Amino acid sequence: MSKSLRVAIVGAGPAGIYAGNILHNQYPDVSIDLFDSLPAPYGLIRYGVAPDHPRIKGIVNSLHEMLGEGTIRFFGNVTFGRDLNLEDIREHYHAVIFATGAIKDAELDIPGVDLDGSFGAADFVSWFDGHPDVPRTWPLNAEQVAVLGNGNVALDVARMLAKHADDLLSTDIPENVYQGLKASPVTDVHVFGRRGPAQIKFTPIELRELGEINDVDIVVYEEDFPDGWFDEDAEGVTNQQKVMARVINSWREQPLTGASRRLHLHFWHKPAEIIGDAGKVAGMKFERTQLAEGGNVVGTGTMVNYPLQAVYRAIGYFGSALPEVPFDDKYGVIRNVAGRVVDEAGTDVAGVYATGWIKRGPVGLIGHTKSDALETVTNLVADVELLEDPAKPGQDQILETLAERGVEFTTWAGWLKLNQHEMDLGAAFTGVERERVKVVDREEQVSISNRD
């Protein structure tokens, strides 16, 4: 390998950290700087995963080890397009990998979607995960709530709405989230999917967790289960699908307990209209659906209405454009071929790469990000001799640029301080064992990270 590399990675979630780790392993003569707009690392793991998922959050341990090795420098509270731009990146680095993910909600084009009480799931997830850039309060004033979608995010949202706040105290939820959920008057949470129970996109662990919520009954409806709705011996049926079918069948046979809250699973429901009254959500209209040739879902023409006071849209995420970086508005991704960023004509943009959801779209589980990063990094390494040398390659020169602009950035050492502070807050909590209590305020995070 003929030259030392300087590479910037924008986005400190799993996609960015995996890319940095793989790059260092493939090309040891590299210095890597990892930037994130948030003061703390881990992205989706910290701010996109429900707090009652400690098994998924266990991924943090491996990410922590990667950053703790010291081969990747972390700089938090640095926003691309404001604190640094593409010209700055080219001045200090041979290449940049964008790993900024997809944090916006996909649009749902139906009447009433803008009513008061109609929410995007991404915003709600950010709130209950203590994201510093969302309001501290959430309007939890509905008794009957709809969640639209048949994926894991829909189940996360439904579970957090249905769960009693005291049962979340053992997690890292911030105090404002606990108080908001504790005051919620919700009695019924309805999850609606366009397809049938045999086509759900959940994972078995997510589905099973629904049946384990304290003082919450699971309600399913026999009209959603036609004869022969699931054939275990059909071609292509996976073990995961078999497990989920058995879980759902157990709920069909299980009597209701009279719990104070109910979580309803509805299938074969296509959103048609959110019904309003005085500008607020008052109900929702759906068209019943059925499977057609080829496995597609088609409407039956039968409409059904439900009284509701809030609707959460969990129908997918969508990426956000970055300044000066080619973007595909249709698919919500950076334009790229196998991780190499290209312009509208399909020509490579020298030294610019992408990985993760901003590369391929918001599909797949966190583990899929590793193979995705491998493809991008392999192509970057193949391009090494084509990469233009930066004018200011010194490791301290990027620090000077940030200092000149008054950027109050955080570092890995700062994250260790913030991490310990949150764990100390958890240890000080009485009555329930808590690993940590998450600090929400951005300025407070930065202050704790940068204190002597």
Side-chain angles (χ1 to χ4, degrees):
M1 297 179 181
S2 58
K3 64 180 178 183
S4 298
L5 274 188
R6 289 269 293 145
V7 175
I9 300 175
V10 179
I17 297 174
Y18 287 146
N21 186 61
I22 292 170
L23 175 58
H24 183 265
N25 290 335
Q26 280 201 20
Y27 198 100
D29 193 9
V30 63
S31 62
I32 303 168
D33 289 343
L34 181 66
F35 298 95
D36 201 278
S37 61
L38 295 165
Y42 308 138
L44 176 70
I45 301 296
R46 183 171 167 91
Y47 292 117
V49 176
D52 59 348
H53 271 178
R55 289 180 296 272
I56 295 177
K57 290 200 172 188
I59 296 172
V60 165
N61 294 332
S62 62
L63 299 179
H64 185 97
E65 289 175 4
M66 292 176 195
L67 291 181
E69 290 175 353
T71 56
I72 303 172
R73 294 196 303 181
F74 169 71
F75 297 99
N77 205 41
V78 180
T79 299
F80 180 81
R82 184 190 68 192
D83 303 319
L84 288 178
N85 56 39
L86 197 55
E87 182 180 349
D88 299 321
I89 296 290
R90 295 189 187 283
E91 188 174 42
H92 292 285
Y93 302 93
H94 291 87
V96 58
I97 302 174
F98 288 102
T100 49
I103 59 173
K104 295 193 305 184
D105 285 288
E107 294 183 358
L108 178 63
D109 186 17
I110 61 172
V113 74
D114 295 324
L115 286 167
D116 184 8
S118 172
F119 307 107
D123 293 333
F124 183 56
V125 171
S126 292
W127 175 75
F128 67 59
D129 271 332
H131 195 292
D133 298 336
V134 300
R136 299 292 181 269
T137 59
W138 191 270
L140 291 164
N141 47 26
E143 293 184 1
Q144 293 91 15
V145 180
V147 180
L148 310 181
N150 262 178
N152 285 342
V153 174
L155 289 196
D156 278 352
V157 169
R159 197 178 61 255
M160 290 295 292
L161 287 166
K163 213 165 191 177
H164 292 275
D166 285 351
D167 294 329
L168 289 163
L169 274 178
S170 60
T171 74
D172 65 358
I173 64 167
E175 179 63 17
N176 66 298
V177 176
Y178 168 72
Q179 295 297 340
L181 292 172
K182 190 173 181 64
S184 170
V186 67
T187 59
D188 293 84
V189 178
H190 300 261
V191 181
F192 294 96
R194 291 188 307 113
R195 296 181 178 272
Q199 292 83 43
I200 53 179
K201 301 297 183 182
F202 312 136
T203 53
I205 190 170
E206 294 268 0
L207 192 64
R208 280 197 300 261
E209 284 175 342
L210 287 188
E212 299 169 358
I213 308 175
N214 175 50
D215 193 30
V216 176
D217 275 333
I218 304 297
V219 184
V220 293
Y221 295 85
E222 282 305 305
E223 60 264 31
D224 290 341
F225 297 88
D227 290 340
W229 73 274
F230 186 77
D231 181 1
E232 284 197 357
D233 299 320
E235 183 179 353
V237 172
T238 66
N239 286 332
Q240 284 195 337
Q241 290 171 318
K242 292 177 183 178
V243 170
M244 289 192 288
R246 290 165 189 163
V247 170
I248 291 175
N249 271 331
S250 72
W251 291 335
R252 295 173 66 193
E253 300 165 0
Q254 181 175 292
L256 300 183
T257 67
S260 66
R261 293 179 177 177
R262 289 157 296 281
L263 201 159
H264 308 252
L265 296 180
H266 302 270
F267 304 100
W268 310 113
H269 281 69
K270 178 184 177 181
E273 179 184 358
I274 302 176
I275 301 167
D277 182 15
K280 299 177 182 287
V281 171
M284 190 155 182
K285 179 185 294 185
F286 296 86
E287 182 181 12
R288 293 285 290 180
T289 60
Q290 62 185 14
L291 279 183
E293 292 287 336
N296 294 323
V297 170
V298 296
T300 64
T302 300
M303 310 302 290
V304 290
N305 289 4
Y306 294 85
L308 302 161
Q309 297 86 48
V311 175
Y312 290 78
R313 308 180 304 278
I315 58 172
Y317 288 122
F318 200 80
S320 300
L322 298 167
E324 303 178 79
V325 181
F327 190 74
D328 188 321
D329 293 301
K330 180 179 179 180
Y331 296 104
V333 297
I334 291 175
R335 293 182 183 275
N336 75 94
V337 176
R340 291 184 175 103
V341 174
V342 299
D343 61 20
E344 288 192 25
T347 304
D348 288 353
V349 179
V352 183
Y353 301 83
T355 192
W357 280 3
I358 199 64
K359 167 190 172 184
R360 71 180 190 274
V363 293
L365 302 175
I366 292 170
H368 296 147
T369 305
K370 290 184 180 180
S371 57
D372 194 49
L374 177 62
E375 178 185 58
T376 295
V377 168
T378 299
N379 285 331
L380 188 159
V381 171
D383 297 341
V384 163
E385 296 306 323
L386 303 175
L387 299 176
E388 186 174 340
D389 291 335
K392 297 180 179 180
Q395 291 203 29
D396 290 339
Q397 289 176 299
I398 186 63
L399 304 183
E400 294 170 2
T401 297
L402 294 173
E404 288 169 2
R405 295 177 183 174
V407 180
E408 197 173 1
F409 60 86
T410 60
T411 64
W412 178 247
W415 160 244
L416 295 179
K417 295 175 187 176
L418 176 58
N419 183 51
Q420 186 61 52
H421 179 82
E422 292 183 343
M423 289 193 293
D424 289 344
L425 291 176
F429 199 89
T430 58
V432 177
E433 183 177 345
R434 305 191 68 176
E435 178 188 355
R436 72 173 66 236
V437 176
K438 194 180 291 182
V439 175
V440 178
D441 184 75
R442 179 184 286 269
E443 291 184 3
E444 185 179 359
Q445 289 186 45
V446 172
S447 175
I448 294 168
S449 299
N450 290 340
R451 67 189 178 191
D452 295 328

